[in-house]
Amino acid sequence: QPQPQAHDEL
Amino acid sequence: MNIFRLIGDLSHLASIFILLHKIQTTRSCRGISFKTQALYVTVFATRYLDLIFGEFVSVYNVIMKLFFLGSSCYILYLMKMKYKPTNDPSIDTFRLEYLLGPCTVLALIFNFSFTPVEILWSFSIFLEAVAILPQLFMLQRTGEAEAITTHYLAALGAYRALYIPNWIYRYYTEGSWDPIAVLAGLVQTGLYLDFFYIYVTKVLQGQKFELPA
């Protein structure tokens, strides 16, 4: 399952 | 990474340096809400658990997260220890339970999966959206602010505002969007609109930041 999008933001 | 997110992050970074500069040069934390600063520590501590439990994203991501955690804790130290006499809790009266309660409920309802890490991640997003309210409430009560404090707030507000074109860009390039982050981010930016209006029409014209009577 891919990581939800905003999880790579600060 | 795109230009909007990068400038947004740099603006966030700048806001913290402006705040530290204000406290260090005036040797005072007058006009700064301790409650808002404590909420930011809570936001970073609950979101950046992904440094331990999440996937590795990038060196940039890790360094920025460590910086935000470290600097926000340092600001609390300055306010509660080093410059404690200049911190006036009697004007910092926003009730934190009005923010913490609803954010907890929202995080329990809206999250990517019902796990502690994801619930805390959602909680941090919702809390960040409203963490500025004690500070704005304090500004409202005192009716004025030092120019440097307004520069801090403007940089902090610009950070989340710049995330909005970033999300639009990501929607078109990646084909998806993150409803929790986007909706909370819109609210967060919206809370600054009044402030931005006075900042642009007064402070940037060289006038004092004063709220209309």
Side-chain angles (χ1 to χ4, degrees):
Chain A
Q1 190 192 343
Q3 199 165 231
Q5 190 183 53
H7 280 45
D8 63 7
E9 295 176 344
L10 293 172
Chain B
M1 178 59 75
N2 56 63
I3 189 76
F4 306 112
R5 183 146 54 121
L6 180 64
I7 300 175
D9 289 346
L10 293 179
S11 179
H12 195 186
L13 213 54
S15 75
I16 290 175
F17 283 116
I18 294 168
L19 179 57
L20 285 170
H21 178 78
K22 176 248 175 321
I23 296 174
Q24 309 275 21
T25 53
T26 63
R27 304 185 58 78
S28 160
C29 44
R30 193 169 75 95
I32 305 298
S33 163
F34 179 80
K35 288 182 175 174
T36 282
Q37 297 305 320
L39 289 179
Y40 282 127
V41 171
T42 312
V43 165
F44 297 140
T46 49
R47 188 176 316 160
Y48 297 166
L49 280 175
D50 61 6
L51 284 172
I52 305 166
F53 299 106
E55 288 169 38
F56 174 78
V57 176
S58 65
V59 173
Y60 169 85
N61 192 278
V62 172
I63 292 175
M64 293 292 259
K65 285 176 176 174
L66 291 176
F67 175 81
F68 288 125
L69 275 169
S71 60
S72 59
C73 290
Y74 180 60
I75 287 163
L76 287 196
Y77 156 77
L78 291 178
M79 295 187 79
K80 267 296 170 211
M81 314 284 280
K82 195 166 179 196
Y83 299 119
K84 190 177 196 312
T86 65
N87 176 33
D88 182 4
S90 70
I91 52 168
D92 192 11
T93 51
F94 196 92
R95 300 281 295 268
L96 288 186
E97 51 271 41
Y98 294 158
L99 303 180
L100 295 171
C103 287
T104 305
V105 174
L106 285 173
L108 289 169
I109 302 171
F110 302 103
N111 50 65
F112 291 105
S113 63
F114 203 74
T115 59
V117 173
E118 287 300 334
I119 291 168
L120 285 172
W121 189 89
S122 286
F123 173 77
S124 82
I125 292 286
F126 296 133
L127 188 61
E128 182 185 344
V130 293
I132 199 62
L133 285 175
Q135 177 68 62
L136 294 178
F137 187 67
M138 192 165 157
L139 213 63
Q140 192 88 210
R141 278 194 64 159
T142 54
E144 54 169 46
E146 295 166 64
I148 185 103
T149 304
T150 65
H151 298 325
Y152 160 67
L153 287 169
L156 190 59
Y159 141 67
R160 218 52 175 178
L162 281 160
Y163 262 59
I164 295 171
N166 153 62
W167 290 319
I168 296 171
Y169 179 88
R170 293 191 78 173
Y171 177 74
Y172 283 107
T173 54
E174 296 170 32
S176 66
W177 62 298
D178 193 319
I180 293 178
V182 171
L183 295 175
L186 288 173
V187 170
Q188 184 169 346
T189 306
L191 295 180
Y192 283 89
L193 291 180
D194 253 14
F195 167 81
F196 279 143
Y197 177 75
I198 302 174
Y199 182 74
V200 171
T201 56
K202 285 204 169 171
V203 182
L204 292 184
Q205 318 293 327
Q207 298 173 38
K208 193 173 162 44
F209 183 94
E210 270 177 318
L211 293 177

